[in-house]
Amino acid sequence: MNAPTDNIRVRLGQKVRQLREARGWSQEDLAARAFLHRNQIGYIEQGQRNISIETIARLAAAFDVPPGELFR
Amino acid sequence: MNAPTDNIRVRLGQKVRQLREARGWSQEDLAARAFLHRNQIGYIEQGQRNISIETIARLAAAFDVPPGELFR
């Protein structure tokens, strides 16, 4: 994988974990709020999923932040 | 599809078109710079693709903007 793509999974995963922990939520809590499976949250946070923009939209809605926030 | 997800495809497509046209690029130009197929650019701009974060990273690298910019 070329440089721009392989970092984005890891950075996004770190941001999801940061946003989740800042709210004191478990992975189960976030999964329920984002209509995702708990295991998916674990994989996403470990940078192991090339998630889609619709999953981005679900996570952003669960965190109540704009989608772009997940890339900051 | 629930509300937060179906809009993100359309908004992202509009943003890609806006960034592309601002640079005077054709869809072929953008496809070549982002290592994507020309047809994909057309579908993305029409809001018809649930693209992945790696495709987001490629488009952002081609436009030389941070990935979050594609969601503004």
Side-chain angles (χ1 to χ4, degrees), chain B:
Chain B
M1 270 185 284
N2 53 26
T5 59
D6 54 13
N7 296 335
I8 198 164
R9 296 189 193 199
V10 173
R11 279 182 291 134
L12 188 95
Q14 290 166 344
K15 185 69 175 183
V16 169
R17 170 164 292 158
Q18 178 204 336
L19 290 168
R20 176 174 64 78
E21 290 179 346
R23 288 158 175 76
W25 294 350
S26 66
Q27 290 183 341
E28 284 84 354
D29 295 332
L30 176 55
R33 290 168 185 269
F35 305 100
L36 296 169
H37 193 277
R38 191 192 73 73
N39 292 351
Q40 259 188 305
I41 304 297
Y43 288 125
I44 290 169
E45 289 188 353
Q46 290 157 28
Q48 293 181 16
R49 286 292 181 275
N50 183 23
I51 62 174
S52 72
I53 52 173
E54 286 190 6
T55 301
I56 291 288
R58 288 175 185 227
L59 290 167
F63 287 128
D64 194 25
V65 298
E69 180 64 25
L70 296 182
F71 295 91
R72 250 176 239 121

